[in-house]
Amino acid sequence: MAQAHCVQVDPAFVQAPEHRPKAAISDADGVPLVDLSPLFSDSAGDTIPATLLSQVEVASRDWGFFQVINHGVPLEVLKKAEAAEKKFFALPEEEKLKVRRDEANRFGYYESEHTKNVRDWKRIFDFVLQERLDVTGLVLKNRWPEVPLDFRESIEEYAKCVEKLAFIVLELISLTLNLPPKRLNAFFEEQTTFVRLNHYPPCPYPDLALGVGHHKDSGALTVLYQDSVGGLDVKRQSDGEWVRVKPIPNSFVINVGDIIQVWSNDKYLSAEHRVSVNTERDRFSIPFFFNPASNIDVRPLPELVDDRNPGKYKEYNWGEFFKRRMDSDFKKLEVENIQIDHFKRA
Ligand code: OGA
Ligand code: NI
């Protein structure tokens, strides 16, 4: 990713013409905004306002994406995590490579991610919430850099606070599916959640490359913090246009992942999204990928299917799915990556 005076295009980063970013549509009619303050006000008691639930329901159904404000994650926790992230990525490459992921354990630093076999214009650092050696052969083990000194503490604190928010959103989603609020919580007791720090450096050819190629998130929910630069684009369900998710200071972007799409039997949508890059500014983001335990078999929730509305997916095991996805990061595949569509009933 060296800066060059005359632009040299590395073909590994070049998207097929149909996937190249044209100017994203404006943010008018953009992703819905949900204010979570009623959940934190003293006078609220235990009742959740129907308007809040209906906003979450409509957003999850029509967009699969929404932004939340007044979410309970303290501003100073966000700022510390963002500062730690910037300091880490500013380290010399050889320092970051000391915590590089490898084939045996894919957590840590990585500078060569591919989405659908095209290289992404980004660097990442991944860590899991719960370290564990799994029965499926998943190695969930973290690598921590020695510097910056407060790195681990800052981002673990961030992860703890965002986990609370993820459970809040999970409970709201459960309620909007007419289920008890904690119906889905047990799936996450031995969660395989991981947090990713993303650094998208300026790119000399943002019309050809992407920070992350178009994809859907395969877990249950993603809770993402983005800085003020902008670049996250969502494919709008109503017309298939790419829409920019406008950065709102001190907010989070929530998106429904494939697992909630399957649990809800397609009531809710795991939307396609991507990250556009730009020639001028470094962009930083921190997604929290809220994933269930690896022994969970994913299928439409029995409460939501009946004879008139049969299950639309065959059951699949999350741990196996997750492992195949992670392994594929290391092998350039001729075949398409595993997708939930492969479990869709005809
Ligand atoms: C991802 C992703 C969006 C962003 O990492 O899966 O969609 O804004 N990231 O970094
Ligand atoms: Ni994503």
Side-chain angles (χ1 to χ4, degrees), residues 6-153:
C6 65
V7 173
Q8 297 240 344
V9 177
D10 178 344
F13 290 102
V14 174
Q15 298 282 333
E18 67 274 24
H19 297 313
R20 290 180 196 162
K22 298 177 198 66
I25 305 289
S26 77
D27 41 30
D29 194 20
V31 306
L33 180 66
V34 179
D35 181 353
L36 296 180
S37 55
L39 302 178
F40 300 101
S41 79
D42 290 339
S43 59
D46 279 343
T47 50
I48 295 172
T51 46
L52 173 56
L53 289 177
S54 129
Q55 285 171 352
V56 171
E57 178 174 18
V58 170
S60 305
R61 187 190 66 201
D62 296 349
W63 282 87
F65 261 83
F66 51 99
Q67 286 176 286
V68 293
I69 52 171
N70 300 317
H71 41 64
V73 178
L75 183 59
E76 81 256 21
V77 171
L78 276 176
K79 292 294 155 213
K80 269 178 79 176
E82 197 176 27
E85 174 179 34
K86 288 186 178 169
K87 271 195 268 176
F88 173 75
F89 285 117
L91 292 173
E93 196 64 15
E94 75 222 45
E95 198 58 43
K96 291 183 296 230
L97 289 174
K98 289 183 186 165
V99 290
R100 190 178 194 258
R101 80 154 78 142
D102 59 31
E103 196 148 356
N105 168 9
R106 52 123 325 136
F107 295 92
Y109 175 67
Y110 199 48
E111 74 301 337
S112 183
E113 265 248 311
H114 291 69
T115 302
K116 304 188 200 301
N117 289 336
V118 183
R119 189 163 165 197
D120 295 324
W121 193 274
K122 68 170 179 186
R123 310 183 167 111
I124 60 177
F125 178 89
D126 288 340
F127 70 100
V128 285
L129 237 61
Q130 298 182 5
E131 293 191 286
R132 195 179 307 112
L133 190 62
D134 227 271
V135 277
T136 45
L138 275 170
V139 178
L140 305 176
K141 187 152 177 28
N142 291 328
R143 295 189 166 92
W144 296 107
E146 281 168 24
V147 279
L149 288 177
D150 61 350
F151 179 79
R152 177 172 179 177
E153 186 195 314

Side-chain angles (χ1 to χ4, degrees), residues 212 215-217 222 255 273 289:
V212 187
H215 69 284
K216 299 174 181 182
D217 292 348
T222 305
N255 66 287
H273 55 284
F289 296 107

Side-chain angles (χ1 to χ4, degrees), residues 184 187-188 220 259-265 298-301 304:
L184 306 171
F187 293 136
F188 295 85
I259 292 177
I260 285 191
Q261 178 171 325
V262 173
W263 280 341
S264 74
N265 203 28
V298 183
R299 62 190 160 116
L301 296 169
L304 304 181

Side-chain angles (χ1 to χ4, degrees), residues 280-298:
E280 304 289 323
R281 298 179 69 187
D282 294 272
R283 177 172 180 270
F284 297 89
S285 71
I286 316 181
F288 175 104
F289 296 107
F290 194 35
N291 294 337
S294 58
N295 65 354
I296 296 301
D297 294 321
V298 183

